[in-house]
mmCIF file of all heavy atoms in Angstrom:
data_model
loop_
_atom_site.group_PDB
_atom_site.id
_atom_site.type_symbol
_atom_site.label_atom_id
_atom_site.label_comp_id
_atom_site.label_asym_id
_atom_site.label_seq_id
_atom_site.Cartn_x
_atom_site.Cartn_y
_atom_site.Cartn_z
ATOM 1 N N HIS A 289 1.516 -16.137 -3.289
ATOM 2 C CA HIS A 289 1.665 -15.176 -4.359
ATOM 3 C C HIS A 289 1.704 -13.808 -3.825
ATOM 4 O O HIS A 289 1.293 -13.505 -2.661
ATOM 5 C CB HIS A 289 0.534 -15.302 -5.394
ATOM 6 C CG HIS A 289 -0.821 -14.808 -4.980
ATOM 7 N ND1 HIS A 289 -1.167 -13.515 -4.862
ATOM 8 C CD2 HIS A 289 -1.911 -15.529 -4.481
ATOM 9 C CE1 HIS A 289 -2.416 -13.395 -4.448
ATOM 10 N NE2 HIS A 289 -2.912 -14.597 -4.142
ATOM 11 N N GLU A 290 2.253 -12.884 -4.612
ATOM 12 C CA GLU A 290 2.281 -11.425 -4.150
ATOM 13 C C GLU A 290 0.812 -10.958 -4.120
ATOM 14 O O GLU A 290 0.029 -11.189 -5.137
ATOM 15 C CB GLU A 290 3.107 -10.651 -5.145
ATOM 16 C CG GLU A 290 4.616 -10.848 -5.009
ATOM 17 C CD GLU A 290 5.178 -10.341 -3.673
ATOM 18 O OE1 GLU A 290 4.652 -9.269 -3.232
ATOM 19 O OE2 GLU A 290 5.998 -11.022 -3.118
ATOM 20 N N PRO A 291 0.437 -10.234 -3.139
ATOM 21 C CA PRO A 291 -0.948 -9.663 -3.099
ATOM 22 C C PRO A 291 -1.089 -8.811 -4.357
ATOM 23 O O PRO A 291 -0.281 -8.099 -4.709
ATOM 24 C CB PRO A 291 -0.970 -8.861 -1.809
ATOM 25 C CG PRO A 291 0.054 -9.407 -0.937
ATOM 26 C CD PRO A 291 1.183 -9.890 -1.828
ATOM 27 N N ILE A 292 -2.329 -8.932 -4.907
ATOM 28 C CA ILE A 292 -2.777 -8.143 -6.005
ATOM 29 C C ILE A 292 -3.933 -7.219 -5.562
ATOM 30 O O ILE A 292 -5.010 -7.727 -5.293
ATOM 31 C CB ILE A 292 -3.176 -8.925 -7.252
ATOM 32 C CG1 ILE A 292 -1.996 -9.839 -7.677
ATOM 33 C CG2 ILE A 292 -3.641 -8.003 -8.377
ATOM 34 C CD1 ILE A 292 -2.409 -10.888 -8.744
ATOM 35 N N VAL A 293 -3.706 -5.940 -5.466
ATOM 36 C CA VAL A 293 -4.759 -5.095 -4.977
ATOM 37 C C VAL A 293 -5.983 -5.222 -5.883
ATOM 38 O O VAL A 293 -5.886 -4.978 -7.101
ATOM 39 C CB VAL A 293 -4.236 -3.596 -4.874
ATOM 40 C CG1 VAL A 293 -5.464 -2.628 -4.704
ATOM 41 C CG2 VAL A 293 -3.338 -3.496 -3.687
ATOM 42 N N ALA A 294 -7.161 -5.529 -5.337
ATOM 43 C CA ALA A 294 -8.367 -5.626 -6.045
ATOM 44 C C ALA A 294 -9.467 -4.857 -5.223
ATOM 45 O O ALA A 294 -9.859 -5.360 -4.108
ATOM 46 C CB ALA A 294 -8.733 -7.122 -6.263
ATOM 47 N N ALA A 295 -9.940 -3.787 -5.762
ATOM 48 C CA ALA A 295 -10.925 -2.967 -5.002
ATOM 49 C C ALA A 295 -12.298 -3.329 -5.553
ATOM 50 O O ALA A 295 -12.506 -3.428 -6.730
ATOM 51 C CB ALA A 295 -10.660 -1.504 -5.164
ATOM 52 N N THR A 296 -13.172 -3.612 -4.648
ATOM 53 C CA THR A 296 -14.640 -3.797 -4.986
ATOM 54 C C THR A 296 -15.197 -2.517 -5.494
ATOM 55 O O THR A 296 -14.723 -1.402 -5.189
ATOM 56 C CB THR A 296 -15.413 -4.435 -3.870
ATOM 57 O OG1 THR A 296 -16.589 -5.032 -4.454
ATOM 58 C CG2 THR A 296 -15.770 -3.407 -2.804
ATOM 59 N N GLU A 297 -16.310 -2.639 -6.213
ATOM 60 C CA GLU A 297 -17.088 -1.427 -6.692
ATOM 61 C C GLU A 297 -16.144 -0.558 -7.563
ATOM 62 O O GLU A 297 -16.489 0.675 -7.620
ATOM 63 C CB GLU A 297 -17.736 -0.679 -5.586
ATOM 64 C CG GLU A 297 -18.787 -1.588 -4.862
ATOM 65 C CD GLU A 297 -19.260 -1.102 -3.488
ATOM 66 O OE1 GLU A 297 -18.610 -0.202 -2.976
ATOM 67 O OE2 GLU A 297 -20.166 -1.700 -2.990
ATOM 68 N N SER A 298 -15.174 -1.091 -8.195
ATOM 69 C CA SER A 298 -14.344 -0.286 -9.130
ATOM 70 C C SER A 298 -13.876 0.999 -8.526
ATOM 71 O O SER A 298 -13.784 2.060 -9.224
ATOM 72 C CB SER A 298 -15.010 -0.026 -10.494
ATOM 73 O OG SER A 298 -15.220 -1.141 -11.206
ATOM 74 N N ASP A 299 -13.469 0.944 -7.229
ATOM 75 C CA ASP A 299 -13.157 2.215 -6.521
ATOM 76 C C ASP A 299 -11.696 2.556 -6.813
ATOM 77 O O ASP A 299 -10.745 2.060 -6.256
ATOM 78 C CB ASP A 299 -13.331 1.980 -5.006
ATOM 79 C CG ASP A 299 -13.144 3.272 -4.238
ATOM 80 O OD1 ASP A 299 -12.601 4.271 -4.793
ATOM 81 O OD2 ASP A 299 -13.478 3.298 -3.079
ATOM 82 N N MET A 300 -11.512 3.549 -7.797
ATOM 83 C CA MET A 300 -10.140 3.883 -8.235
ATOM 84 C C MET A 300 -9.305 4.450 -7.082
ATOM 85 O O MET A 300 -8.199 4.017 -6.876
ATOM 86 C CB MET A 300 -10.341 4.772 -9.480
ATOM 87 C CG MET A 300 -10.912 4.097 -10.636
ATOM 88 S SD MET A 300 -10.999 5.303 -12.097
ATOM 89 C CE MET A 300 -9.243 5.518 -12.510
ATOM 90 N N ASP A 301 -9.815 5.501 -6.479
ATOM 91 C CA ASP A 301 -9.028 6.163 -5.374
ATOM 92 C C ASP A 301 -8.882 5.162 -4.268
ATOM 93 O O ASP A 301 -7.869 5.256 -3.496
ATOM 94 C CB ASP A 301 -9.692 7.442 -4.966
ATOM 95 C CG ASP A 301 -9.447 8.600 -5.986
ATOM 96 O OD1 ASP A 301 -8.501 8.447 -6.810
ATOM 97 O OD2 ASP A 301 -10.186 9.537 -6.038
ATOM 98 N N GLY A 302 -9.775 4.268 -4.014
ATOM 99 C CA GLY A 302 -9.609 3.320 -3.009
ATOM 100 C C GLY A 302 -8.504 2.358 -3.348
ATOM 101 O O GLY A 302 -7.688 2.016 -2.487
ATOM 102 N N ALA A 303 -8.560 1.823 -4.644
ATOM 103 C CA ALA A 303 -7.487 0.927 -5.059
ATOM 104 C C ALA A 303 -6.094 1.633 -4.999
ATOM 105 O O ALA A 303 -5.174 1.009 -4.610
ATOM 106 C CB ALA A 303 -7.781 0.499 -6.486
ATOM 107 N N LEU A 304 -6.049 2.931 -5.302
ATOM 108 C CA LEU A 304 -4.834 3.685 -5.217
ATOM 109 C C LEU A 304 -4.360 3.787 -3.796
ATOM 110 O O LEU A 304 -3.084 3.636 -3.554
ATOM 111 C CB LEU A 304 -5.052 5.100 -5.822
ATOM 112 C CG LEU A 304 -3.760 6.019 -5.810
ATOM 113 C CD1 LEU A 304 -2.642 5.393 -6.544
ATOM 114 C CD2 LEU A 304 -4.117 7.378 -6.468
#
Side-chain angles (χ1 to χ4, degrees):
H289 69 79
E290 287 293 321
I292 301 169
V293 164
T296 198
E297 295 164 351
S298 292
D299 186 346
M300 293 179 66
D301 285 340
L304 180 58

